[in-house]
Amino acid sequence: MALLPDLLRATGNSEAAAALRADPVLNHNFIVSLIDSSSPLAAVGSIALSAINDVLLGGFSECSGLEMQLNTEDYKEGGNNGHLLKFPSRVQWSPITLKKGVGTSSALWDWHYGFVIGRGKRRDGLVVLMNELHVPNSIWFFSRGLPVKWTGPTLNAAQSSVAIESLEIAHEGIFQVPFVGAASGIASAAVGAAGGLAGAAGGAISAAGNL
């Protein structure tokens, strides 16, 4: 019996068939939101306006540093000379680095410089990775972000590449929102199946009209 993706592909609905496959998600379709964590009410308002803030910031071209490492402590057990026992210790979180093209906004510089003059506020952050249908596939949340390093663009009159600024953010932990991937798969399957059925129905009507 043919599988649904094969039927969709046979009817010319390759995009719908691809949506039903469990392929790895590409890394280019993502959104980063920086949320004011000074108070719960402010956070709610910031989440509601996160999409607008992203547009004002110009969007980020690169996000790296979604990384954690579990350190271990060694224990030399007496009489057990053939093994070195290891026990879990503290978790070490890598800083997150955001990069974007230099535009008219100075939001990244302003956030970093606010701490230089003693007026800075920590921010939480959301990193959302989306699939080809723009449905969130993975969501990471980092808490109490602190901008520790701002880097301006490298200028070179002999090149014509985009001017890039970057900001390094130290934080107090990354948490992945559960069950987002499963929901993304269900949503993609629903959209793909609906598109495939519509395409198949249209093909059947067209074929009937040619009789």
Side-chain angles (χ1 to χ4, degrees):
M1 181 178 179
L3 297 177
L4 181 56
D6 297 330
L7 294 175
L8 295 175
R9 195 177 296 106
T11 57
N13 296 280
S14 57
E15 294 183 358
L20 296 178
R21 295 176 52 183
D23 291 337
V25 181
L26 301 181
N27 67 347
H28 68 280
N29 193 3
F30 66 95
I31 296 175
V32 180
S33 297
L34 298 175
I35 305 167
D36 185 1
S37 58
S38 59
S39 70
L41 294 179
V44 172
S46 297
I47 292 175
L49 296 176
S50 60
I52 299 177
N53 291 336
D54 287 337
V55 173
L56 295 177
L57 290 174
F60 294 99
S61 59
E62 184 177 337
C63 174
S64 60
L66 294 173
E67 179 182 354
M68 66 175 176
Q69 177 179 335
L70 180 63
N71 297 324
T72 60
E73 292 185 0
D74 298 338
Y75 178 73
K76 300 178 181 179
E77 184 180 20
N80 188 2
N81 298 328
H83 297 279
L84 182 64
L85 302 181
K86 293 183 178 294
F87 292 91
S89 181
R90 294 183 181 275
V91 175
Q92 179 178 346
W93 307 97
S94 299
I96 292 177
T97 301
L98 302 177
K99 295 183 179 181
K100 63 178 289 293
V102 176
T104 57
S105 173
S106 60
L108 297 186
W109 165 270
D110 294 339
W111 184 31
H112 180 268
Y113 194 73
F115 284 90
V116 176
I117 60 178
R119 300 178 183 176
K121 294 183 179 180
R122 290 177 179 262
R123 292 188 180 182
D124 300 331
L126 287 174
V127 181
V128 182
L129 176 62
M130 297 181 290
N131 61 17
E132 65 278 2
L133 296 177
H134 299 281
V135 177
N137 184 84
S138 301
I139 300 177
W140 295 273
F141 169 80
F142 64 87
S143 62
R144 291 176 55 79
L146 182 67
V148 295
K149 182 180 180 181
W150 177 87
T151 303
T154 300
L155 307 178
N156 190 335
Q159 297 180 357
S160 59
S161 54
V162 176
I164 299 293
E165 63 176 333
S166 65
L167 186 68
E168 185 175 303
I169 303 174
H171 55 87
E172 298 182 358
I174 298 177
F175 311 93
Q176 186 166 11
V177 180
F179 308 119
V180 176
S184 172
I186 294 173
S188 297
V191 173
L197 293 175
I205 294 174
S206 176
N210 293 329
L211 293 178

